[in-house]
Amino acid sequence: LAGGIVDSPGRENDPYIVDLARFAVSQHNKEANTQLELEKVVKVKEQAIAGRLYYITIQVDEGGAKKLYKAKVLEQLWLDVKKLLEFKPAEGAYPNVSYS
């Protein structure tokens, strides 16, 4: 059964979450031919589905400017799946998900 989206306070510095954020930035850089650099994880939300869906707010360095992006990463460990579903500027991303 799919669960609701829940805050995961305190996980911003969790090495596992930081690795997922690094993966998201790397995948986005490949797909969009950009050179974003991960600075830090700002906020984490999770949703239990057929696997785990992570909504990660990420601060990046984009050519010297600090910008916020929201990444949506699906992970299904038993299938060895890790997939970047969305990566977009934080403003206006996920209108149905409150990040405050």
Side-chain angles (χ1 to χ4, degrees):
L1 257 163
I5 299 168
V6 295
D7 279 311
S8 297
R11 293 203 67 194
E12 297 83 5
N13 296 314
D14 180 328
Y16 190 78
I17 297 297
V18 173
D19 278 349
L20 285 175
R22 195 171 287 120
F23 165 79
V25 171
S26 171
Q27 286 298 111
H28 175 74
N29 282 342
K30 282 182 204 165
E31 293 169 13
N33 197 25
T34 58
Q35 295 295 316
L36 303 181
E37 289 182 39
L38 174 67
E39 291 210 330
K40 66 180 179 178
V41 173
V42 177
K43 188 161 183 105
V44 181
K45 287 184 178 262
E46 297 177 52
Q47 183 176 16
I49 54 167
R52 204 127 190 84
L53 197 52
Y54 294 92
Y55 298 83
I56 308 172
T57 305
I58 301 170
Q59 180 177 308
V60 299
D61 180 315
E62 188 174 332
K66 291 183 188 323
K67 298 212 174 159
L68 287 179
Y69 282 87
K70 293 203 172 151
K72 193 157 110 180
V73 178
L74 171 66
E75 191 170 55
Q76 295 171 308
L77 294 175
W78 69 98
L79 296 173
D80 198 27
V81 168
K82 187 178 352 179
K83 187 185 290 185
L84 179 63
L85 300 179
E86 289 183 345
F87 193 95
K88 53 189 170 185
E91 194 170 302
Y94 313 129
N96 300 327
V97 179
S98 168
Y99 281 87
S100 55

